[in-house]
Amino acid sequence: MAPALLFVLALAASLWGLVRTQNDFNQYIGTEQAVAAGLSELYAQGLQTGQALRNIVLDPANTKADDNLKAAREAYDQAYATTLGSAKGTVFEKDVLSLAALRSAQTNIQDQVRALARSDVAAAVSTLNAQETPAWRTLRGSLLAQINTARKTANDTHNATQSRAKRMQNVTGALALLAVLVAGMLCVVM
């Protein structure tokens, strides 16, 4: 009877450990990892908008540069919505929300530069250097800080999940081994 109970206990511990590990892993993929990836995408699309804007200033008649700016802005907005959705209700939410004001300020300046590029390239260059570039640096700094935090948190969560899974393997293995020993002792006694 005792070996059967120990085997059942080992099986129950194993199943509980699997469910817990799966939940931890889903949390890791759906939150920490998703936020880190989303922030990286925001950074990439921020770079794209800056490059497209510079192309507009270099050649105001180039409609492809306008299309590229529009596409990069749409990709940024989509990545922001996805990242904010992943961050909802987590420690990341407040920081991700803070990006909206920084991005809005940068976008307003980009629109000024874009309008100036059509009529006064020198003023567009001046506004780009004096206002848009510092606005991007502020946004970029916040993005990079958040990316580092999200990656560290994701790494910590991954390590904690691995550690809990290893502990559950050890507990389950010990219970199974104990069950085998008890069964062996009962066989010897009988």
Side-chain angles (χ1 to χ4, degrees), residues 49-50 52-54 56-57 65-66 69-74 77 102-120 123-125 127-128 131-133 135:
T49 61
L53 183 66
R54 280 152 183 78
I56 290 170
V57 171
D66 278 320
L69 179 60
K70 181 181 177 193
R73 283 180 170 182
E74 288 171 358
D77 291 343
L102 297 174
R103 177 65 178 164
S104 178
Q106 183 201 23
T107 300
N108 290 338
I109 297 167
Q110 286 179 338
D111 289 340
Q112 292 172 20
V113 170
R114 195 166 154 209
L116 285 170
R118 309 242 186 280
S119 60
D120 185 353
V125 170
T127 304
L128 181 72
Q131 294 180 39
E132 196 279 336
T133 299

Side-chain angles (χ1 to χ4, degrees), residues 33-170:
Q33 195 64 22
V35 169
L39 290 168
S40 294
E41 180 65 16
L42 291 173
Y43 180 78
Q45 294 309 322
L47 288 173
Q48 287 297 103
T49 61
Q51 183 59 49
L53 183 66
R54 280 152 183 78
N55 289 339
I56 290 170
V57 171
L58 289 172
D59 183 6
N62 181 357
T63 58
K64 183 65 176 164
D66 278 320
D67 293 342
N68 290 343
L69 179 60
K70 181 181 177 193
R73 283 180 170 182
E74 288 171 358
Y76 182 98
D77 291 343
Q78 182 178 5
Y80 180 79
T82 301
T83 304
L84 184 57
S86 297
K88 211 51 133 185
T90 70
V91 297
F92 303 112
E93 184 176 13
K94 181 181 173 192
D95 288 338
V96 172
L97 283 170
S98 73
L99 295 173
L102 297 174
R103 177 65 178 164
S104 178
Q106 183 201 23
T107 300
N108 290 338
I109 297 167
Q110 286 179 338
D111 289 340
Q112 292 172 20
V113 170
R114 195 166 154 209
L116 285 170
R118 309 242 186 280
S119 60
D120 185 353
V121 174
V125 170
S126 177
T127 304
L128 181 72
N129 290 330
Q131 294 180 39
E132 196 279 336
T133 299
W136 165 243
R137 284 187 184 133
T138 301
L139 177 58
R140 182 189 67 185
S142 184
L143 280 167
L144 290 175
Q146 289 184 44
I147 288 168
N148 287 336
T149 299
R151 286 181 179 163
K152 182 184 180 323
T153 302
N155 189 48
D156 292 347
T157 300
H158 179 264
N159 290 339
T161 299
Q162 294 286 26
S163 178
R164 278 193 295 275
K166 186 68 174 164
R167 267 194 314 274
M168 285 310 303
Q169 288 174 348
N170 291 340

